[in-house]
Amino acid sequence: FAVASAFTEATLVQALARRKRGAESWVLLCLLATSSAMFVASTTFLPGTFSMYLFTLAAAGVLSGRTGLVIASCASSVILGWSVTAIAALPYAIWVLCSGKFTQSFNIAMAWGFGLLLATFAFDSFFYGKRALSLYSFLSYNVFGSGDSALYGVEGPSYYFKNGAINLNLLLPLSLAAPLLMAFREMYARAGHESSGLG
């Protein structure tokens, strides 16, 4: 598992560096290498770990403009890994739709989705000895209301902030401030553009 994590993280750092973001790629490398959360999560045998690898590849795909990689990674995470990551896949889906390659992206998404669902159905049916699809079972139990939240427990929002502070350290406040900082950067760039007489 650690090798897969190192590969996906290296792919992400390399994709960022290729965008002429050398300084940012070094910062990312240092943050990934020193994060206690990445150290623990990269070798944990959980569906979330598999999904983490795939979303790291999806982020690298966005940086390198590879819509096929983004679609394949997100579809694999949702269908084969952990279906709740569909929520995390939404921004990637919006990026794919805005990339201007709708027909090609739609065809790739349908091929990956159908192929993965068919393969999952075949494996699940074989190993359960009856027609089965683990994705459907998970969704029907956890999402459509037949499940019991007491089985896994329910935590309030403070739990996630405490957990994030422990695992992400400096990255948590930076991540939470990122949308605001990006908005300020955009406003600053526009103000500079207008004051230079070009606007």
Side-chain angles (χ1 to χ4, degrees):
F1 291 121
V3 173
S5 181
F7 170 77
T8 59
E9 291 170 28
T11 304
L12 178 60
V13 170
Q14 187 178 41
L16 185 59
R18 286 185 177 160
R19 294 274 315 241
K20 308 256 189 280
R21 301 280 188 184
E24 290 91 340
S25 66
W26 277 106
V27 170
L28 175 62
L29 178 63
C30 291
L31 290 171
L32 288 171
T34 59
S35 170
S36 61
M38 288 303 295
F39 178 78
V40 172
S42 66
T43 57
T44 305
F45 188 61
L46 292 170
T49 303
F50 178 71
S51 294
M52 177 184 71
Y53 302 154
L54 292 167
F55 273 96
T56 303
L57 283 178
V62 168
L63 290 171
S64 58
R66 297 169 58 192
T67 55
L69 178 61
V70 174
I71 293 167
S73 298
C74 290
S76 299
S77 174
V78 172
I79 295 171
L80 299 178
W82 198 21
S83 57
V84 295
T85 60
I87 296 167
L90 288 176
Y92 291 98
I94 292 168
W95 178 82
V96 167
L97 291 173
C98 293
S99 70
K101 304 174 186 173
F102 179 77
T103 304
Q104 177 188 1
S105 299
F106 181 78
N107 291 337
I108 293 170
M110 293 307 294
W112 270 94
F114 182 73
L116 290 172
L117 283 171
L118 189 63
T120 302
F121 178 74
F123 277 97
D124 290 347
S125 297
F126 176 77
F127 286 107
Y128 285 111
K130 61 180 182 177
R131 288 185 184 166
L133 182 62
S134 56
L135 178 63
Y136 173 75
S137 299
F138 179 88
L139 292 174
S140 66
Y141 183 80
N142 292 293
V143 178
F144 300 127
S146 63
D148 182 10
S149 61
L151 181 64
Y152 300 109
V154 177
E155 297 290 343
S158 64
Y159 167 81
Y160 298 99
F161 283 107
K162 288 178 198 171
N163 197 3
I166 291 168
N167 290 310
L168 299 174
N169 301 319
L170 179 63
L171 285 180
L172 180 64
L174 290 175
S175 299
L176 294 173
L180 186 61
L181 294 173
M182 289 173 59
F184 282 138
R185 180 180 175 206
E186 185 64 27
M187 289 177 4
Y188 179 76
R190 287 183 187 204
H193 180 69
E194 291 172 3
S195 67
S196 67
L198 297 174

